Amino acid sequence: MKQAHPSHRSVFRYICEHLEEDTGSARCRQIRKHLNECAACAADLQTIKRIIELYRQYPVPKLSAAARKKLSSIPDAQRAG
């Protein structure tokens, strides 16, 4: 059976949601193949990697109690966008 080619949106979502997944899984192999064939998704992945690198260089900002309360009141579905 032929597997469907993943969409750009599904590749991006998958990368963001599964950064820690086993890189040898069938899904990861499919994503890696797509990234090798799609310059746009490959560029998006490089952007994500660079953002993560930059975030790791800076200390986590301290949030005020009011900001923490406001963030915790946002439903998970709304945060996921």
Side-chain angles (χ1 to χ4, degrees):
M1 179 194 290
K2 186 176 179 182
Q3 290 185 344
H5 189 70
S7 70
H8 299 292
R9 184 178 187 96
S10 69
V11 168
F12 184 76
R13 184 179 303 125
Y14 184 83
I15 291 168
C16 291
E17 292 174 356
H18 299 90
L19 291 173
E20 300 296 322
E21 185 170 321
D22 172 24
T23 57
S25 72
R27 182 71 172 148
C28 280
R29 287 192 305 272
Q30 184 183 29
I31 297 297
R32 191 170 22 261
K33 182 179 184 298
H34 178 80
L35 290 168
N36 287 332
E37 298 170 352
C38 178
C41 286
D44 287 344
L45 175 59
Q46 291 307 313
T47 299
I48 292 166
K49 287 180 177 181
R50 183 65 181 137
I51 290 168
I52 291 169
E53 288 173 16
L54 291 171
Y55 272 107
R56 288 180 176 162
Q57 291 178 9
Y58 297 97
V60 176
K62 301 288 183 191
L63 294 176
S64 67
R68 281 194 304 276
K69 183 176 179 181
K70 185 173 182 177
L71 286 173
S72 66
S73 69
I74 299 172
D76 288 338
Q78 186 178 352
R79 276 183 271 190

